[in-house]
Short mmCIF file of all heavy atoms in Angstrom, two decimals:
data_model
loop_
_atom_site.label_atom_id
_atom_site.label_comp_id
_atom_site.label_asym_id
_atom_site.label_seq_id
_atom_site.Cartn_x
_atom_site.Cartn_y
_atom_site.Cartn_z
N MET Z 6 -17.14 1.08 15.20
CA MET Z 6 -16.92 0.65 13.82
C MET Z 6 -15.45 0.86 13.45
O MET Z 6 -14.87 1.90 13.73
CB MET Z 6 -17.81 1.45 12.88
CG MET Z 6 -17.74 1.01 11.45
SD MET Z 6 -19.04 1.84 10.53
CE MET Z 6 -18.40 1.65 8.91
N THR Z 7 -14.84 -0.14 12.83
CA THR Z 7 -13.43 -0.08 12.48
C THR Z 7 -13.24 0.67 11.17
O THR Z 7 -13.98 0.48 10.21
CB THR Z 7 -12.86 -1.51 12.33
OG1 THR Z 7 -13.09 -2.23 13.55
CG2 THR Z 7 -11.39 -1.48 12.04
N ASN Z 8 -12.23 1.52 11.15
CA ASN Z 8 -11.85 2.22 9.93
C ASN Z 8 -11.45 1.18 8.88
O ASN Z 8 -10.68 0.26 9.17
CB ASN Z 8 -10.67 3.14 10.28
CG ASN Z 8 -10.10 3.86 9.10
OD1 ASN Z 8 -9.70 3.26 8.12
ND2 ASN Z 8 -10.02 5.17 9.23
N PRO Z 9 -11.94 1.30 7.62
CA PRO Z 9 -11.62 0.30 6.59
C PRO Z 9 -10.12 0.14 6.33
O PRO Z 9 -9.66 -0.97 6.08
CB PRO Z 9 -12.33 0.83 5.34
CG PRO Z 9 -13.38 1.76 5.83
CD PRO Z 9 -12.87 2.32 7.13
N LEU Z 10 -9.37 1.23 6.43
CA LEU Z 10 -7.92 1.13 6.22
C LEU Z 10 -7.27 0.33 7.34
O LEU Z 10 -6.45 -0.54 7.09
CB LEU Z 10 -7.29 2.52 6.11
CG LEU Z 10 -5.78 2.54 5.88
CD1 LEU Z 10 -5.41 1.80 4.59
CD2 LEU Z 10 -5.27 3.96 5.84
N HIS Z 11 -7.66 0.61 8.58
CA HIS Z 11 -7.11 -0.14 9.71
C HIS Z 11 -7.49 -1.62 9.62
O HIS Z 11 -6.68 -2.50 9.92
CB HIS Z 11 -7.60 0.44 11.04
CG HIS Z 11 -7.01 1.76 11.35
ND1 HIS Z 11 -7.74 2.80 11.87
CD2 HIS Z 11 -5.75 2.25 11.19
CE1 HIS Z 11 -6.97 3.85 12.03
NE2 HIS Z 11 -5.75 3.55 11.63
N GLN Z 12 -8.71 -1.89 9.17
CA GLN Z 12 -9.15 -3.28 9.02
C GLN Z 12 -8.32 -3.99 7.95
O GLN Z 12 -7.90 -5.13 8.13
CB GLN Z 12 -10.64 -3.33 8.66
CG GLN Z 12 -11.20 -4.73 8.62
CD GLN Z 12 -11.15 -5.41 9.99
OE1 GLN Z 12 -11.57 -4.82 10.98
NE2 GLN Z 12 -10.64 -6.62 10.04
N PHE Z 13 -8.06 -3.30 6.83
CA PHE Z 13 -7.25 -3.88 5.75
C PHE Z 13 -5.84 -4.19 6.26
O PHE Z 13 -5.29 -5.26 5.98
CB PHE Z 13 -7.19 -2.91 4.56
CG PHE Z 13 -6.37 -3.42 3.42
CD1 PHE Z 13 -6.90 -4.33 2.52
CD2 PHE Z 13 -5.06 -2.99 3.25
CE1 PHE Z 13 -6.13 -4.81 1.47
CE2 PHE Z 13 -4.29 -3.46 2.20
CZ PHE Z 13 -4.83 -4.37 1.31
N ILE Z 14 -5.25 -3.25 7.00
CA ILE Z 14 -3.91 -3.46 7.55
C ILE Z 14 -3.91 -4.65 8.51
O ILE Z 14 -3.03 -5.52 8.45
CB ILE Z 14 -3.39 -2.18 8.24
CG1 ILE Z 14 -3.12 -1.11 7.18
CG2 ILE Z 14 -2.14 -2.47 9.07
CD1 ILE Z 14 -2.82 0.26 7.75
N ASN Z 15 -4.90 -4.73 9.39
CA ASN Z 15 -4.98 -5.85 10.33
C ASN Z 15 -5.18 -7.17 9.61
O ASN Z 15 -4.57 -8.18 9.97
CB ASN Z 15 -6.11 -5.63 11.34
CG ASN Z 15 -5.77 -4.59 12.38
OD1 ASN Z 15 -4.60 -4.34 12.66
ND2 ASN Z 15 -6.79 -3.96 12.93
N ASP Z 16 -6.02 -7.18 8.58
CA ASP Z 16 -6.28 -8.41 7.83
C ASP Z 16 -5.05 -8.89 7.06
O ASP Z 16 -4.94 -10.07 6.74
CB ASP Z 16 -7.43 -8.21 6.83
CG ASP Z 16 -8.78 -8.05 7.52
OD1 ASP Z 16 -8.88 -8.32 8.73
OD2 ASP Z 16 -9.74 -7.63 6.83
N ASN Z 17 -4.15 -7.97 6.74
CA ASN Z 17 -2.97 -8.31 5.93
C ASN Z 17 -1.66 -8.16 6.70
O ASN Z 17 -0.59 -8.08 6.11
CB ASN Z 17 -2.95 -7.42 4.68
CG ASN Z 17 -4.06 -7.78 3.74
OD1 ASN Z 17 -3.99 -8.76 3.01
ND2 ASN Z 17 -5.13 -7.00 3.76
N LYS Z 18 -1.75 -8.16 8.02
CA LYS Z 18 -0.58 -8.00 8.88
C LYS Z 18 0.51 -9.03 8.59
O LYS Z 18 1.70 -8.71 8.56
CB LYS Z 18 -1.00 -8.07 10.34
CG LYS Z 18 0.09 -7.66 11.31
CD LYS Z 18 -0.43 -7.62 12.71
CE LYS Z 18 -0.89 -6.32 13.23
NZ LYS Z 18 -0.35 -5.07 12.91
N GLU Z 19 0.11 -10.25 8.32
CA GLU Z 19 1.08 -11.32 8.04
C GLU Z 19 1.88 -11.02 6.77
O GLU Z 19 3.10 -11.21 6.74
CB GLU Z 19 0.34 -12.66 7.89
CG GLU Z 19 1.26 -13.86 7.86
CD GLU Z 19 0.49 -15.16 7.89
OE1 GLU Z 19 -0.31 -15.36 8.83
OE2 GLU Z 19 0.68 -15.97 6.96
N LEU Z 20 1.21 -10.54 5.72
CA LEU Z 20 1.92 -10.17 4.48
C LEU Z 20 2.89 -9.02 4.73
O LEU Z 20 4.02 -9.03 4.24
CB LEU Z 20 0.92 -9.78 3.39
CG LEU Z 20 0.08 -10.91 2.81
CD1 LEU Z 20 -0.97 -10.34 1.85
CD2 LEU Z 20 0.95 -11.93 2.10
N LEU Z 21 2.45 -8.03 5.48
CA LEU Z 21 3.32 -6.88 5.78
C LEU Z 21 4.54 -7.32 6.57
O LEU Z 21 5.66 -6.85 6.31
CB LEU Z 21 2.53 -5.82 6.55
CG LEU Z 21 1.45 -5.10 5.76
CD1 LEU Z 21 0.54 -4.30 6.68
CD2 LEU Z 21 2.05 -4.21 4.68
N GLU Z 22 4.36 -8.22 7.52
CA GLU Z 22 5.48 -8.72 8.32
C GLU Z 22 6.47 -9.51 7.48
O GLU Z 22 7.65 -9.59 7.81
CB GLU Z 22 4.97 -9.55 9.49
CG GLU Z 22 4.27 -8.70 10.55
CD GLU Z 22 3.57 -9.51 11.62
OE1 GLU Z 22 3.49 -10.75 11.50
OE2 GLU Z 22 3.08 -8.88 12.59
N LYS Z 23 6.01 -10.08 6.37
CA LYS Z 23 6.89 -10.82 5.45
C LYS Z 23 7.62 -9.89 4.48
O LYS Z 23 8.41 -10.34 3.67
CB LYS Z 23 6.08 -11.84 4.65
CG LYS Z 23 5.58 -12.99 5.46
CD LYS Z 23 4.79 -13.95 4.58
CE LYS Z 23 4.24 -15.11 5.38
NZ LYS Z 23 3.44 -16.02 4.53
N GLY Z 24 7.28 -8.58 4.53
CA GLY Z 24 7.96 -7.62 3.66
C GLY Z 24 7.19 -7.22 2.41
O GLY Z 24 7.72 -6.51 1.56
N GLU Z 25 5.95 -7.67 2.29
CA GLU Z 25 5.14 -7.31 1.12
C GLU Z 25 4.78 -5.83 1.16
O GLU Z 25 4.64 -5.24 2.23
CB GLU Z 25 3.86 -8.13 1.09
CG GLU Z 25 4.06 -9.62 0.90
CD GLU Z 25 4.47 -9.98 -0.52
OE1 GLU Z 25 4.12 -9.26 -1.47
OE2 GLU Z 25 5.16 -11.00 -0.66
N VAL Z 26 4.63 -5.24 -0.02
CA VAL Z 26 4.14 -3.88 -0.17
C VAL Z 26 2.73 -3.99 -0.73
O VAL Z 26 2.52 -4.63 -1.77
CB VAL Z 26 5.03 -3.06 -1.12
CG1 VAL Z 26 4.45 -1.67 -1.33
CG2 VAL Z 26 6.45 -2.96 -0.57
N LEU Z 27 1.77 -3.37 -0.06
CA LEU Z 27 0.37 -3.46 -0.46
C LEU Z 27 -0.08 -2.11 -1.01
O LEU Z 27 0.26 -1.06 -0.46
CB LEU Z 27 -0.50 -3.86 0.73
CG LEU Z 27 -0.07 -5.12 1.48
CD1 LEU Z 27 -0.94 -5.33 2.70
CD2 LEU Z 27 -0.12 -6.33 0.57
N THR Z 28 -0.84 -2.14 -2.09
CA THR Z 28 -1.34 -0.91 -2.71
C THR Z 28 -2.85 -1.00 -2.85
O THR Z 28 -3.38 -2.02 -3.28
CB THR Z 28 -0.71 -0.70 -4.09
OG1 THR Z 28 0.70 -0.71 -3.96
CG2 THR Z 28 -1.14 0.61 -4.70
N ILE Z 29 -3.54 0.07 -2.48
CA ILE Z 29 -4.99 0.16 -2.61
C ILE Z 29 -5.30 1.27 -3.59
O ILE Z 29 -4.88 2.41 -3.41
CB ILE Z 29 -5.65 0.48 -1.26
CG1 ILE Z 29 -5.27 -0.54 -0.19
CG2 ILE Z 29 -7.17 0.57 -1.42
CD1 ILE Z 29 -5.68 -0.12 1.22
N LEU Z 30 -6.04 0.95 -4.65
CA LEU Z 30 -6.45 1.95 -5.62
C LEU Z 30 -7.76 2.58 -5.16
O LEU Z 30 -8.72 1.89 -4.83
CB LEU Z 30 -6.65 1.28 -6.99
CG LEU Z 30 -7.12 2.19 -8.13
CD1 LEU Z 30 -6.09 3.29 -8.40
CD2 LEU Z 30 -7.35 1.36 -9.38
N LEU Z 31 -7.77 3.90 -5.12
CA LEU Z 31 -8.96 4.65 -4.73
C LEU Z 31 -9.51 5.40 -5.95
O LEU Z 31 -8.89 5.40 -7.00
CB LEU Z 31 -8.61 5.66 -3.63
CG LEU Z 31 -7.91 5.08 -2.40
CD1 LEU Z 31 -7.44 6.22 -1.50
CD2 LEU Z 31 -8.84 4.15 -1.66
N ASN Z 32 -10.64 6.05 -5.81
CA ASN Z 32 -11.21 6.82 -6.92
C ASN Z 32 -10.32 7.98 -7.34
O ASN Z 32 -10.28 8.34 -8.52
CB ASN Z 32 -12.59 7.36 -6.55
CG ASN Z 32 -13.62 6.26 -6.43
OD1 ASN Z 32 -13.52 5.22 -7.06
ND2 ASN Z 32 -14.62 6.48 -5.60
N ASP Z 33 -9.61 8.58 -6.39
CA ASP Z 33 -8.82 9.77 -6.70
C ASP Z 33 -7.36 9.65 -6.31
O ASP Z 33 -6.65 10.63 -6.21
CB ASP Z 33 -9.43 10.99 -6.02
CG ASP Z 33 -9.50 10.84 -4.51
OD1 ASP Z 33 -9.24 9.73 -4.00
OD2 ASP Z 33 -9.82 11.84 -3.84
N GLY Z 34 -6.89 8.44 -6.10
CA GLY Z 34 -5.49 8.24 -5.74
C GLY Z 34 -5.24 6.81 -5.30
O GLY Z 34 -5.98 5.91 -5.67
N TYR Z 35 -4.19 6.64 -4.53
CA TYR Z 35 -3.88 5.30 -4.03
C TYR Z 35 -3.16 5.38 -2.70
O TYR Z 35 -2.62 6.42 -2.33
CB TYR Z 35 -3.07 4.50 -5.05
CG TYR Z 35 -1.78 5.15 -5.48
CD1 TYR Z 35 -0.59 4.86 -4.86
CD2 TYR Z 35 -1.77 6.06 -6.53
CE1 TYR Z 35 0.59 5.46 -5.26
CE2 TYR Z 35 -0.59 6.66 -6.95
CZ TYR Z 35 0.59 6.35 -6.30
OH TYR Z 35 1.76 6.95 -6.70
N VAL Z 36 -3.20 4.27 -1.99
CA VAL Z 36 -2.54 4.14 -0.69
C VAL Z 36 -1.53 3.01 -0.81
O VAL Z 36 -1.85 1.94 -1.32
CB VAL Z 36 -3.57 3.82 0.42
CG1 VAL Z 36 -2.88 3.62 1.76
CG2 VAL Z 36 -4.63 4.91 0.51
N THR Z 37 -0.31 3.26 -0.36
CA THR Z 37 0.73 2.24 -0.33
C THR Z 37 1.08 1.97 1.13
O THR Z 37 1.30 2.91 1.91
CB THR Z 37 1.98 2.71 -1.10
OG1 THR Z 37 1.60 3.06 -2.43
CG2 THR Z 37 3.04 1.63 -1.13
N ILE Z 38 1.13 0.69 1.49
CA ILE Z 38 1.37 0.30 2.88
C ILE Z 38 2.53 -0.70 2.91
O ILE Z 38 2.56 -1.65 2.12
CB ILE Z 38 0.11 -0.36 3.48
CG1 ILE Z 38 -1.10 0.55 3.31
CG2 ILE Z 38 0.33 -0.72 4.94
CD1 ILE Z 38 -2.41 -0.16 3.46
N PHE Z 39 3.47 -0.48 3.82
CA PHE Z 39 4.58 -1.42 4.00
C PHE Z 39 5.13 -1.27 5.40
O PHE Z 39 4.83 -0.31 6.10
CB PHE Z 39 5.68 -1.18 2.95
CG PHE Z 39 6.27 0.21 2.98
CD1 PHE Z 39 7.40 0.48 3.72
CD2 PHE Z 39 5.69 1.22 2.24
CE1 PHE Z 39 7.94 1.76 3.74
CE2 PHE Z 39 6.23 2.50 2.24
CZ PHE Z 39 7.36 2.77 2.99
N ASN Z 40 5.91 -2.25 5.81
CA ASN Z 40 6.57 -2.21 7.12
C ASN Z 40 8.04 -1.89 6.93
O ASN Z 40 8.64 -2.27 5.92
CB ASN Z 40 6.44 -3.55 7.84
CG ASN Z 40 5.12 -3.71 8.54
OD1 ASN Z 40 4.26 -2.84 8.50
ND2 ASN Z 40 4.92 -4.85 9.18
N GLU Z 41 8.61 -1.18 7.90
CA GLU Z 41 10.05 -0.96 7.93
C GLU Z 41 10.50 -0.92 9.38
O GLU Z 41 9.69 -0.73 10.28
CB GLU Z 41 10.45 0.31 7.19
CG GLU Z 41 10.07 1.60 7.86
CD GLU Z 41 10.55 2.83 7.10
OE1 GLU Z 41 10.80 2.74 5.89
OE2 GLU Z 41 10.68 3.89 7.74
N VAL Z 42 11.78 -1.09 9.58
CA VAL Z 42 12.33 -1.10 10.93
C VAL Z 42 12.70 0.33 11.32
O VAL Z 42 13.41 1.02 10.58
CB VAL Z 42 13.56 -2.03 11.03
CG1 VAL Z 42 14.20 -1.94 12.41
CG2 VAL Z 42 13.17 -3.46 10.72
N ASP Z 43 12.21 0.77 12.47
CA ASP Z 43 12.53 2.09 13.00
C ASP Z 43 13.98 2.07 13.47
O ASP Z 43 14.36 1.24 14.30
CB ASP Z 43 11.59 2.41 14.16
CG ASP Z 43 11.73 3.83 14.67
OD1 ASP Z 43 12.88 4.26 14.91
OD2 ASP Z 43 10.70 4.50 14.82
N GLU Z 44 14.79 2.98 12.96
CA GLU Z 44 16.21 3.00 13.30
C GLU Z 44 16.47 3.31 14.77
O GLU Z 44 17.44 2.84 15.35
CB GLU Z 44 16.94 4.02 12.42
CG GLU Z 44 16.98 3.63 10.96
CD GLU Z 44 17.65 4.68 10.09
OE1 GLU Z 44 18.21 5.66 10.63
OE2 GLU Z 44 17.62 4.51 8.87
N LYS Z 45 15.60 4.10 15.39
CA LYS Z 45 15.79 4.48 16.80
C LYS Z 45 15.42 3.37 17.76
O LYS Z 45 16.12 3.11 18.73
CB LYS Z 45 14.98 5.73 17.12
CG LYS Z 45 15.46 6.97 16.41
CD LYS Z 45 14.59 8.17 16.75
CE LYS Z 45 15.04 9.38 15.96
NZ LYS Z 45 14.18 10.54 16.19
N THR Z 46 14.29 2.70 17.49
CA THR Z 46 13.79 1.68 18.43
C THR Z 46 14.10 0.26 17.97
O THR Z 46 13.96 -0.68 18.74
CB THR Z 46 12.27 1.80 18.58
OG1 THR Z 46 11.64 1.52 17.32
CG2 THR Z 46 11.87 3.18 19.07
N ASN Z 47 14.49 0.11 16.72
CA ASN Z 47 14.76 -1.21 16.11
C ASN Z 47 13.50 -2.08 16.07
O ASN Z 47 13.58 -3.30 16.00
CB ASN Z 47 15.89 -1.93 16.83
CG ASN Z 47 16.68 -2.82 15.89
OD1 ASN Z 47 16.73 -2.58 14.68
ND2 ASN Z 47 17.29 -3.86 16.42
N LEU Z 48 12.32 -1.45 16.14
CA LEU Z 48 11.05 -2.16 16.06
C LEU Z 48 10.43 -1.94 14.67
O LEU Z 48 10.65 -0.90 14.04
CB LEU Z 48 10.08 -1.65 17.13
CG LEU Z 48 10.50 -1.88 18.58
CD1 LEU Z 48 9.52 -1.18 19.52
CD2 LEU Z 48 10.56 -3.37 18.89
N GLN Z 49 9.65 -2.91 14.24
CA GLN Z 49 8.97 -2.80 12.96
C GLN Z 49 7.78 -1.86 13.08
O GLN Z 49 7.03 -1.92 14.05
CB GLN Z 49 8.52 -4.19 12.50
CG GLN Z 49 8.28 -4.29 11.03
CD GLN Z 49 7.99 -5.71 10.61
OE1 GLN Z 49 6.91 -6.20 10.88
NE2 GLN Z 49 8.94 -6.34 9.96
N LYS Z 50 7.62 -0.96 12.10
CA LYS Z 50 6.47 -0.05 12.10
C LYS Z 50 5.84 -0.06 10.71
O LYS Z 50 6.50 -0.35 9.72
CB LYS Z 50 6.89 1.37 12.50
CG LYS Z 50 7.87 2.03 11.54
CD LYS Z 50 8.24 3.42 12.05
CE LYS Z 50 9.24 4.07 11.11
NZ LYS Z 50 9.62 5.42 11.56
N THR Z 51 4.55 0.22 10.67
CA THR Z 51 3.80 0.23 9.43
C THR Z 51 3.77 1.65 8.88
O THR Z 51 3.41 2.59 9.58
CB THR Z 51 2.37 -0.28 9.64
OG1 THR Z 51 2.44 -1.61 10.16
CG2 THR Z 51 1.59 -0.30 8.35
N ILE Z 52 4.16 1.79 7.62
CA ILE Z 52 4.17 3.08 6.92
C ILE Z 52 3.00 3.10 5.95
O ILE Z 52 2.77 2.14 5.21
CB ILE Z 52 5.48 3.28 6.13
CG1 ILE Z 52 6.70 3.09 7.03
CG2 ILE Z 52 5.50 4.62 5.42
CD1 ILE Z 52 6.81 4.09 8.16
N THR Z 53 2.25 4.20 5.94
CA THR Z 53 1.11 4.36 5.04
C THR Z 53 1.32 5.65 4.25
O THR Z 53 1.39 6.72 4.83
CB THR Z 53 -0.21 4.44 5.83
OG1 THR Z 53 -0.31 3.28 6.66
CG2 THR Z 53 -1.40 4.50 4.90
N LEU Z 54 1.44 5.52 2.92
CA LEU Z 54 1.60 6.67 2.04
C LEU Z 54 0.31 6.87 1.27
O LEU Z 54 -0.24 5.93 0.69
CB LEU Z 54 2.74 6.43 1.05
CG LEU Z 54 4.10 6.08 1.65
CD1 LEU Z 54 5.08 5.76 0.53
CD2 LEU Z 54 4.62 7.22 2.50
N VAL Z 55 -0.19 8.10 1.25
CA VAL Z 55 -1.42 8.42 0.51
C VAL Z 55 -1.04 9.41 -0.58
O VAL Z 55 -0.49 10.48 -0.30
CB VAL Z 55 -2.47 9.05 1.45
CG1 VAL Z 55 -3.73 9.40 0.67
CG2 VAL Z 55 -2.78 8.11 2.60
N ASP Z 56 -1.29 9.03 -1.83
CA ASP Z 56 -0.94 9.87 -2.97
C ASP Z 56 -2.15 10.10 -3.86
O ASP Z 56 -2.81 9.15 -4.27
CB ASP Z 56 0.15 9.20 -3.81
CG ASP Z 56 1.48 9.14 -3.09
OD1 ASP Z 56 1.94 10.20 -2.63
OD2 ASP Z 56 2.05 8.04 -2.99
N PRO Z 57 -2.42 11.38 -4.18
CA PRO Z 57 -3.50 11.66 -5.13
C PRO Z 57 -3.02 11.35 -6.55
O PRO Z 57 -1.82 11.35 -6.81
CB PRO Z 57 -3.75 13.16 -4.95
CG PRO Z 57 -2.44 13.69 -4.47
CD PRO Z 57 -1.82 12.59 -3.65
N CYS Z 58 -3.95 11.08 -7.43
CA CYS Z 58 -3.61 10.85 -8.84
C CYS Z 58 -3.67 12.17 -9.60
O CYS Z 58 -4.58 12.96 -9.40
CB CYS Z 58 -4.60 9.87 -9.48
SG CYS Z 58 -4.38 8.19 -8.94
N ASP Z 59 -2.71 12.37 -10.48
CA ASP Z 59 -2.73 13.55 -11.34
C ASP Z 59 -3.64 13.34 -12.53
O ASP Z 59 -4.25 14.26 -13.04
CB ASP Z 59 -1.32 13.86 -11.84
CG ASP Z 59 -0.39 14.23 -10.68
OD1 ASP Z 59 -0.84 14.96 -9.78
OD2 ASP Z 59 0.76 13.77 -10.68
N THR Z 60 -3.72 12.10 -12.97
CA THR Z 60 -4.58 11.75 -14.11
C THR Z 60 -4.90 10.27 -14.02
O THR Z 60 -4.33 9.55 -13.22
CB THR Z 60 -3.90 12.08 -15.45
OG1 THR Z 60 -4.85 11.96 -16.50
CG2 THR Z 60 -2.71 11.18 -15.72
N GLN Z 61 -5.82 9.82 -14.85
CA GLN Z 61 -6.20 8.41 -14.84
C GLN Z 61 -6.37 7.95 -16.28
O GLN Z 61 -6.99 8.63 -17.10
CB GLN Z 61 -7.51 8.21 -14.09
CG GLN Z 61 -7.92 6.77 -13.97
CD GLN Z 61 -9.16 6.60 -13.10
OE1 GLN Z 61 -9.70 7.57 -12.55
NE2 GLN Z 61 -9.62 5.39 -12.97
N PHE Z 62 -5.77 6.80 -16.61
CA PHE Z 62 -5.94 6.17 -17.91
C PHE Z 62 -6.93 5.03 -17.78
O PHE Z 62 -6.89 4.28 -16.81
CB PHE Z 62 -4.61 5.61 -18.44
CG PHE Z 62 -3.59 6.67 -18.78
CD1 PHE Z 62 -2.31 6.58 -18.27
CD2 PHE Z 62 -3.90 7.72 -19.60
CE1 PHE Z 62 -1.35 7.54 -18.57
CE2 PHE Z 62 -2.96 8.68 -19.92
CZ PHE Z 62 -1.68 8.59 -19.40
N ASP Z 63 -7.78 4.89 -18.76
CA ASP Z 63 -8.75 3.80 -18.77
C ASP Z 63 -8.17 2.63 -19.55
O ASP Z 63 -8.59 2.33 -20.66
CB ASP Z 63 -10.07 4.27 -19.38
CG ASP Z 63 -11.16 3.22 -19.25
OD1 ASP Z 63 -11.04 2.34 -18.37
OD2 ASP Z 63 -12.12 3.28 -20.03
N CYS Z 64 -7.13 2.00 -18.98
CA CYS Z 64 -6.50 0.85 -19.63
C CYS Z 64 -5.78 0.02 -18.57
O CYS Z 64 -5.70 0.41 -17.41
CB CYS Z 64 -5.53 1.30 -20.72
SG CYS Z 64 -4.11 2.22 -20.12
N GLU Z 65 -5.26 -1.11 -19.00
CA GLU Z 65 -4.53 -2.00 -18.10
C GLU Z 65 -3.04 -1.74 -18.17
O GLU Z 65 -2.56 -1.14 -19.14
CB GLU Z 65 -4.84 -3.45 -18.45
CG GLU Z 65 -6.31 -3.80 -18.26
CD GLU Z 65 -6.64 -5.22 -18.65
OE1 GLU Z 65 -5.71 -6.01 -18.91
OE2 GLU Z 65 -7.84 -5.54 -18.70
N ILE Z 66 -2.30 -2.20 -17.17
CA ILE Z 66 -0.85 -2.00 -17.12
C ILE Z 66 -0.19 -2.50 -18.39
O ILE Z 66 0.69 -1.83 -18.95
CB ILE Z 66 -0.26 -2.71 -15.88
CG1 ILE Z 66 -0.76 -2.03 -14.61
CG2 ILE Z 66 1.26 -2.69 -15.92
CD1 ILE Z 66 -0.42 -2.76 -13.33
N ALA Z 67 -0.59 -3.65 -18.89
CA ALA Z 67 0.04 -4.24 -20.06
C ALA Z 67 -0.09 -3.36 -21.31
O ALA Z 67 0.72 -3.46 -22.24
CB ALA Z 67 -0.56 -5.62 -20.35
N HIS Z 68 -1.09 -2.48 -21.34
CA HIS Z 68 -1.23 -1.58 -22.48
C HIS Z 68 -0.23 -0.42 -22.41
O HIS Z 68 0.08 0.20 -23.43
CB HIS Z 68 -2.65 -1.03 -22.55
CG HIS Z 68 -3.65 -2.05 -22.96
ND1 HIS Z 68 -4.61 -2.52 -22.09
CD2 HIS Z 68 -3.83 -2.72 -24.12
CE1 HIS Z 68 -5.34 -3.43 -22.70
NE2 HIS Z 68 -4.89 -3.57 -23.94
N LEU Z 69 0.24 -0.09 -21.23
CA LEU Z 69 1.21 0.99 -21.05
C LEU Z 69 2.64 0.50 -21.07
O LEU Z 69 3.54 1.14 -21.59
CB LEU Z 69 0.97 1.72 -19.73
CG LEU Z 69 -0.32 2.52 -19.59
CD1 LEU Z 69 -0.41 3.10 -18.18
CD2 LEU Z 69 -0.38 3.63 -20.62
N ILE Z 70 2.86 -0.67 -20.46
CA ILE Z 70 4.20 -1.22 -20.32
C ILE Z 70 4.21 -2.62 -20.91
O ILE Z 70 3.52 -3.51 -20.41
CB ILE Z 70 4.59 -1.29 -18.82
CG1 ILE Z 70 4.48 0.10 -18.19
CG2 ILE Z 70 5.99 -1.86 -18.66
CD1 ILE Z 70 4.58 0.10 -16.68
N PRO Z 71 4.98 -2.83 -21.96
CA PRO Z 71 5.07 -4.18 -22.55
C PRO Z 71 5.60 -5.19 -21.53
O PRO Z 71 6.58 -4.92 -20.83
CB PRO Z 71 6.06 -4.02 -23.71
CG PRO Z 71 6.09 -2.55 -23.98
CD PRO Z 71 5.78 -1.87 -22.69
N VAL Z 72 4.91 -6.32 -21.42
CA VAL Z 72 5.30 -7.36 -20.47
C VAL Z 72 5.64 -8.62 -21.24
O VAL Z 72 4.95 -8.99 -22.18
CB VAL Z 72 4.13 -7.64 -19.49
CG1 VAL Z 72 4.51 -8.70 -18.48
CG2 VAL Z 72 3.71 -6.35 -18.79
N GLY Z 73 6.71 -9.28 -20.83
CA GLY Z 73 7.09 -10.54 -21.47
C GLY Z 73 7.92 -10.31 -22.71
O GLY Z 73 8.38 -9.22 -23.01
N GLY Z 74 8.13 -11.38 -23.47
CA GLY Z 74 9.02 -11.26 -24.62
C GLY Z 74 8.42 -11.80 -25.80
O GLY Z 74 8.42 -11.75 -26.90
#
C-alpha cells in the first residue's frame, strides 16, 4: 500500500517540476512540498516541510486578509 503523502507527490510531480509549491492542510498542521536544486549534485530534489498548527481559526483567508480593492 502506498503512503498517501508519497502518492500525492507522485500524482503532482509535474506541478512540482514546474516550480509550484503545494500545501496540504491536516487536522493538526500542514505539509508544504516543493522542489529545489541541490547545490552539491545540481539535481532537483523534493523538499517536504511538516508544521504543526499553534491555533486554528474557523474562517476563510479573505476574512483575515483583505483581498482586492
